[in-house]
Amino acid sequence: AQTVTQSQPEMSVQEAETVTLSCTYDTSESNYYLFWYKQPPSRQMILVIRQEAYKQQNATENRFSVNFQKAAKSFSLKISDSQLGDTAMYFCAFMKRATGNQFYFGTGTSLTVIP
Amino acid sequence: DTAVSQTPKYLVTQMGNDKSIKCEQNLGHDTMYWYKQDSKKFLKIMFSYNNKELIINETVPNRFSPKSPDKAHLNLHINSLELGDSAVYFCASSQVGVAGGGKTQYFGPGTRLTVL
């Protein structure tokens, strides 16, 4: 079974600063995908960024980037120039490349951006 | 335009009742999902349908029954509701296609179910 661990239940960061959210996972699969989703107070689940395991290059989306370390099974999310709108719950998710596209979610990190 | 929609957004009901949550996606995706988010925010998949065929059926009580009348709809019916069913239920969809996995899932706004 796949497990996803987010060891930081809560974090805070000053506006305009940089913060890194950690995520580790355990799998015996070689082909898989990793995602970060954001859930603001509105409850909507919003895709932040995704990474294919076969790609060595770290994914980047504007102020969001990942540090993907396949050997260490680590997938951290870096948010640069934090904004108040980044305040949300952040979930790391693992998906193996197989029938069903089942997501395995971590327990989430609650991020608060302080003005 | 709403990509994945769910109705209702809030549902308050008594123990023992039967209720349904509806989900529709207008993205043309072939796969739809139901997730449950508990009070601790933990998200766990319940069911997945690909082209109206059930492909993921996690260990959930058989009081929960998904129904997919077509690719764009996946409804969740819950019989004999219990206190422990109180949670937020999310519908999601993705385009899996013949190539298989790795496709991003798009989530609906969630339905907060409260069982009294």
Side-chain angles (χ1 to χ4, degrees):
Chain A
Q2 278 62 229
T3 58
V4 179
T5 301
Q6 293 179 249
S7 59
Q8 305 149 316
E10 294 181 359
M11 294 190 72
S12 61
V13 62
Q14 290 291 137
E15 196 174 5
E17 297 293 309
T18 295
V19 65
T20 299
L21 280 55
S22 67
C23 173
T24 58
Y25 57 94
D26 186 24
T27 185
S28 58
E29 301 284 327
S30 57
N31 269 334
Y32 54 88
Y33 300 80
L34 296 160
F35 301 79
W36 278 97
Y37 277 86
K38 165 186 175 180
Q39 187 179 39
S42 66
R43 206 172 65 204
Q44 180 73 51
M45 291 286 287
I46 303 165
L47 175 69
V48 175
I49 201 165
R50 62 173 261 165
Q51 173 83 41
E52 290 88 347
Y54 63 86
K55 288 186 178 178
Q56 291 189 337
Q57 187 174 5
N58 289 325
T60 299
E61 287 287 343
N62 301 313
R63 297 183 295 108
F64 299 88
S65 62
V66 299
N67 184 3
F68 173 48
Q69 302 287 329
K70 191 171 183 179
K73 297 181 182 174
S74 169
F75 183 60
S76 61
L77 174 70
K78 186 172 85 171
I79 306 174
S80 304
D81 185 26
S82 296
Q83 300 175 0
L84 296 179
D86 295 335
T87 292
M89 196 78 169
Y90 286 81
F91 292 96
C92 178
F94 170 98
M95 175 198 287
K96 61 182 179 179
R97 187 182 171 87
T99 305
N101 286 273
Q102 183 170 350
F103 268 21
Y104 298 87
F105 282 95
T107 49
T109 296
S110 178
L111 177 67
T112 302
V113 179
I114 302 167
Chain B
D1 284 345
T2 303
V4 183
S5 60
Q6 294 178 229
T7 53
K9 287 189 177 177
Y10 298 92
L11 185 53
V12 181
T13 187
Q14 299 287 331
M15 259 195 329
N17 283 350
D18 303 339
K19 290 293 179 186
S20 292
I21 306 172
K22 295 186 177 182
C23 178
E24 177 181 4
Q25 54 95 3
N26 62 7
L27 297 167
H29 288 166
D30 60 7
T31 305
M32 297 183 73
Y33 313 80
W34 277 111
Y35 288 86
K36 179 180 180 180
Q37 186 174 42
D38 62 23
S39 58
K40 295 183 179 177
K41 302 285 189 180
F42 184 63
L43 271 159
K44 192 172 188 307
I45 193 163
M46 300 172 70
F47 303 102
S48 173
Y49 271 75
N50 176 266
N51 285 315
K52 302 197 299 175
E53 180 185 350
L54 181 65
I55 54 173
I56 294 176
N57 186 359
E58 289 293 295
T59 307
V60 300
N62 57 15
R63 299 181 294 103
F64 291 80
S65 53
K67 286 199 172 39
S68 182
D70 55 58
K71 281 195 327 181
H73 296 85
L74 180 61
N75 303 323
L76 183 65
H77 188 75
I78 316 170
N79 289 327
S80 304
L81 278 154
E82 300 177 357
L83 294 176
D85 297 333
S86 293
V88 179
Y89 292 84
F90 285 96
C91 177
S93 74
S94 69
Q95 178 60 28
V96 173
V98 295
K103 303 305 188 295
T104 300
Q105 293 183 14
Y106 295 86
F107 286 77
T111 296
R112 181 177 293 280
L113 171 65
T114 303
V115 182
L116 303 174

